Amino acid sequence: MAAAAMTGAAVPHARAAEADGPLRMRPIPSSGETIPVVGIGTSRRYDTDPAGPGVEPLRETVARFVALGGRVVDTAPDYGRAEEVLGAVFAGSDLRGKVFLCGKVAAQGREAGQAQIERSFRRMGTDRIDLIAVHNLIDPDAQLPLLREMKAAGRIRYLGATTWAERQYADLEALMRREALDVIQVNYAVDARAAAERILPLARDRGVAVMVNVPFGRERLFNLVKGRELPPWAAEFDCATWPQFFLKYVLGNEAVTCPVPGTARVAYAEDNLGAARGRLPDEAARRRMEAYIDGL
């Protein structure tokens, strides 16, 4: 999949004051380990020269995210130079040890998959990646056995599969039924709700953690609300900005473990993590959110 397609778009956020209270945590069912419910995606905005000046704002973003309690950082070998940039971000700091690092494999055949994964380790300058998922369901029959071997050897801690396209839902559902996966990643947003019909309930039933890509619909949701004030009833679930509105909607589904919106600025990291604090919308509020967005 193209790099632009995987995670939420880095578009203008309103800078929100830091909310009080700890970040909400949710478990990875296969282990019981808990992780904060909002992460960072690295598609597009982390595709820059890893030795250039563009890395410093990204290092500051990841450092601030971690300082505020964030942990989950998601990347892929086909996000341009994002893996190399993360390697530069981690170098000379203690950030790698504080990050729950999520990677992917997107290759046909075991040999190609193994070579790609080894390249990811080198690019990011790490000897362990917390999660590697089969990207876009590319050759899971070859890649999942490889990932299981790597998990048994302690090189990765979790394995899974990803998609961002509804046309792959039937294949994802079949894979979830026949394989023991720790994590899936799927597209889900207030205006793109198909995953909630079968994929998210199946994940809950199978004990699979769910990461959500494109929770902002890339630019789509921000374009819908451009120039509009946040509805006053959003305060009922401690929502201060549009990004928090979109993220809290996703998190209102308890099957979701962690959305990973594209996050390339300190202000975005601060704002997004605000969605991990305070109340979440109940089912009535979520229906109201859907109706509001559908009406625009």
Side-chain angles (χ1 to χ4, degrees), residues 205-227:
D205 294 344
R206 296 281 290 169
V208 178
V210 177
M211 295 173 65
V212 169
N213 50 53
V214 290
F216 299 149
R218 306 183 197 109
E219 289 84 3
R220 189 178 64 240
L221 284 171
F222 288 108
N223 288 337
L224 271 178
V225 301
K226 186 175 182 179

Side-chain angles (χ1 to χ4, degrees), residues 166 169 187-189 192-199:
E166 293 179 20
Y169 282 6
N187 56 307
Y188 181 50
R193 305 187 288 265
E197 297 173 11
R198 294 174 65 173
I199 299 299

Side-chain angles (χ1 to χ4, degrees), residues 37-232:
V37 298
V38 173
I40 281 179
T42 61
S43 176
R44 297 192 296 172
R45 304 301 183 184
Y46 285 66
D47 181 14
T48 189
D49 181 353
V55 170
E56 188 55 33
L58 301 175
R59 181 182 291 111
E60 292 172 357
T61 298
V62 175
R64 180 60 173 157
F65 172 78
V66 168
L68 291 173
R71 287 187 61 210
V72 177
V73 176
D74 178 73
T75 194
D78 57 355
Y79 290 174
R81 304 187 74 177
E83 289 182 331
E84 295 173 82
V85 166
L86 284 178
V89 165
F90 297 148
S93 75
D94 62 352
L95 286 173
R96 173 64 195 96
K98 298 178 179 180
V99 162
F100 185 97
L101 184 60
C102 306
K104 303 181 183 73
V105 55
Q108 290 285 350
R110 178 187 173 99
E111 184 176 348
Q114 188 162 19
Q116 187 182 75
I117 290 169
E118 295 302 333
R119 187 164 60 247
S120 294
F121 277 100
R122 292 193 300 271
R123 285 174 169 176
M124 293 189 284
T126 186
D127 59 4
R128 187 173 71 171
I129 297 173
D130 295 284
L131 161 68
I132 296 183
V134 179
H135 197 22
N136 278 354
L137 305 183
I138 297 173
D139 203 1
D141 291 340
Q143 307 311 336
L144 284 174
L146 171 61
L147 293 177
R148 293 191 198 289
E149 292 173 17
M150 297 184 73
K151 183 177 178 180
R155 298 191 71 198
I156 68 173
R157 300 172 59 224
Y158 300 100
L159 57 85
T162 81
T163 184
W164 68 278
E166 293 179 20
R167 65 179 178 273
Q168 289 191 310
Y169 282 6
D171 290 339
L172 177 60
E173 183 178 357
L175 185 69
M176 293 167 68
R177 291 187 183 280
R178 73 174 184 264
E179 299 281 358
L181 304 176
D182 298 306
V183 181
I184 62 165
Q185 186 176 128
V186 68
N187 56 307
Y188 181 50
V190 65
D191 69 335
R193 305 187 288 265
E197 297 173 11
R198 294 174 65 173
I199 299 299
L200 299 188
L202 179 60
R204 183 184 58 240
D205 294 344
R206 296 281 290 169
V208 178
V210 177
M211 295 173 65
V212 169
N213 50 53
V214 290
F216 299 149
R218 306 183 197 109
E219 289 84 3
R220 189 178 64 240
L221 284 171
F222 288 108
N223 288 337
L224 271 178
V225 301
K226 186 175 182 179
R228 295 180 181 272
E229 295 291 329
L230 197 68

